[in-house]
Amino acid sequence: MYVAPLSSTPVQDHVALAEIELCGELMIAASGADGERLSPDRIDEVLKVGAGAGAGAGAGGGPEAHERPF
């Protein structure tokens, strides 16, 4: 059985690390939420996107307020 040697060079995927951090923030918010689900506005607030985060996008409250950058 062949086992690949461990690399001595650390590999960092900054996008993956950022996504993991955002998922963690959502889990923390969900664990403290009242009710079954987070509202779209609360998700936007946690992810710091949309009108709820003060980003200026979707200030009219239309559908664009809940668009995600991914």
Side-chain angles (χ1 to χ4, degrees):
M1 175 178 180
Y2 174 76
V3 178
L6 295 176
S7 173
S8 62
T9 305
V11 177
Q12 292 186 356
D13 183 338
H14 297 287
V15 173
L17 293 174
E19 289 177 358
I20 291 167
E21 184 176 340
L22 290 174
C23 287
E25 294 296 327
L26 284 172
M27 285 189 269
I28 291 167
S31 69
D34 294 332
E36 203 172 298
R37 297 175 184 222
L38 292 177
S39 70
D41 288 336
R42 179 67 179 130
I43 292 170
D44 286 348
E45 180 184 336
V46 170
L47 298 179
K48 298 176 177 83
V49 298
E64 67 276 24
H66 301 293
E67 290 181 12
R68 305 285 188 263
F70 42 88

